Amino acid sequence: LSELEALMERMKRLQEDKEDEEASQEEMATRFEKEKKESLLVISGGIWAFPVQFSFDDEIVSTDVSRYVEDPGFGYKDFARRGEDHLPTFRAQDYTWENHGFSLVNRLYSDIGHLLDEKFRMVYNLTYNTMATHEDVDTTTLRRALFNYVHCMYGIRYDDYDYGEVNQLLERSLKVYIKTVTCYPERTTKRMYDSYWRQFKHSEKVHVNLLLMEARMQAELLYALRAITRHLT
């Protein structure tokens, strides 16, 4: 099977498995922890912490960002060290954008919550119902996996989501790309962009980038707004 056909087959199988039997809460929690720990293996420079068949170090361009920021040393750091047994988890059910963050940010800055919510929904729901040359395809499962994997990298867990879907739908090269774009965007290269979903249209791959950026923004807002809520109460 080609990469595209294999992905579509996995999506179909996931849907059939979900209809037949749902995973238990314990199983879903275990799968989340596995994905969360695995995301820490994707290290700076766009490679994995264990041997794989590709490396993008040779294409990383050192960009002088000091002209754009006051602190050029400021950047992303993993929320936990590799090798730690107990990694922190932000349970989305305890503080969600819809039930908590939206109302608080609207209170702090009138109507900004509506604008942000519209942006999140528009990017998340955007679809032409296509996958490369295939039409009338429901891409909901794939879009949800991309969005939730970014939140997983930030330690955010949705109790009602089976993270086994992430592992089945997102291959290693795509996970490398996701972490690089989300956490180290200045290190993203065209070779990394070309390395995943080779049969997909550019518009579809650009949509992936939009999903990653909106997921990252929402994750950052959730942490910030939860801290403000705790301070206010």
Side-chain angles (χ1 to χ4, degrees):
L1 292 178
S2 69
E3 180 187 28
L4 171 62
E5 291 170 332
L7 176 59
M8 294 188 66
E9 181 63 28
R10 289 196 297 271
M11 291 172 61
K12 180 182 178 181
R13 189 166 60 247
L14 279 173
Q15 188 61 39
E16 291 173 349
D17 291 345
K18 186 179 295 185
E19 292 174 358
D20 292 340
E21 183 179 358
E22 291 189 4
S24 67
Q25 283 295 318
E26 184 178 353
E27 288 174 322
M28 291 197 288
T30 300
R31 291 170 185 174
F32 168 78
E33 291 298 327
K34 178 181 177 181
E35 285 298 330
K36 184 172 64 172
K37 290 179 180 179
E38 184 186 85
S39 73
L40 297 177
L41 296 174
V42 185
I43 62 177
S44 171
I47 60 176
W48 286 69
F50 47 86
V52 290
Q53 296 180 346
F54 50 84
S55 171
F56 305 112
D57 283 333
D58 55 328
E59 289 197 14
I60 293 175
V61 179
S62 112
T63 306
D64 180 14
V65 297
S66 60
R67 72 189 75 177
Y68 306 113
V69 296
E70 294 181 1
D71 180 10
F74 181 82
Y76 171 85
K77 290 185 179 180
D78 282 320
F79 67 94
R81 295 178 181 178
R82 286 188 291 273
E84 288 186 0
D85 291 330
H86 303 289
L87 305 181
T89 295
F90 182 133
R91 294 183 71 253
Q93 274 65 22
D94 296 335
Y95 197 93
T96 65
W97 166 253
E98 293 80 7
N99 297 331
H100 306 91
F102 173 80
S103 58
L104 175 59
V105 79
N106 255 348
R107 201 172 80 194
L108 298 173
Y109 194 135
S110 180
D111 291 333
I112 192 67
H114 293 286
L115 296 174
L116 287 170
D117 191 62
E118 182 181 1
K119 186 160 70 85
F120 292 146
R121 291 178 185 275
M122 181 182 297
V123 171
Y124 186 86
N125 295 321
L126 179 64
T127 181
Y128 301 123
N129 293 312
T130 62
M131 286 180 67
T133 58
H134 295 264
E135 298 181 350
D136 298 322
V137 180
D138 184 357
T139 62
T140 303
T141 304
L142 190 55
R143 284 180 279 125
R144 184 171 59 238
L146 289 164
F147 196 92
N148 285 358
Y149 182 63
V150 173
H151 280 203
C152 178
M153 289 194 307
Y154 281 83
I156 300 174
R157 181 197 167 201
Y158 295 88
D159 289 347
D160 58 351
Y161 181 69
D162 183 359
Y163 289 85
E165 294 186 8
V166 168
N167 198 42
Q168 294 189 53
L169 296 178
L170 309 184
E171 59 188 21
R172 285 184 177 181
S173 61
L174 179 53
K175 287 181 177 180
V176 168
Y177 181 77
I178 289 172
K179 183 157 188 180
T180 306
V181 168
T182 306
C183 305
Y184 315 101
E186 73 282 0
R187 299 174 181 174
T188 309
T189 66
K190 187 175 185 300
R191 184 179 175 187
M192 298 176 70
Y193 173 85
D194 292 336
S195 70
Y196 79 96
W197 290 359
R198 297 175 187 273
Q199 296 170 295
F200 281 67
K201 301 173 185 175
H202 286 299
S203 60
E204 294 169 320
K205 297 176 79 166
V206 167
H207 183 209
V208 170
N209 288 355
L210 294 175
L211 270 172
L212 302 184
M213 291 296 96
E214 294 306 319
R216 169 184 165 169
M217 172 177 268
Q218 190 177 109
E220 293 170 336
L221 280 172
L222 285 173
Y223 275 102
L225 294 172
R226 185 181 67 167
I228 293 173
T229 298
R230 288 176 174 175
H231 174 73
L232 294 176
T233 56

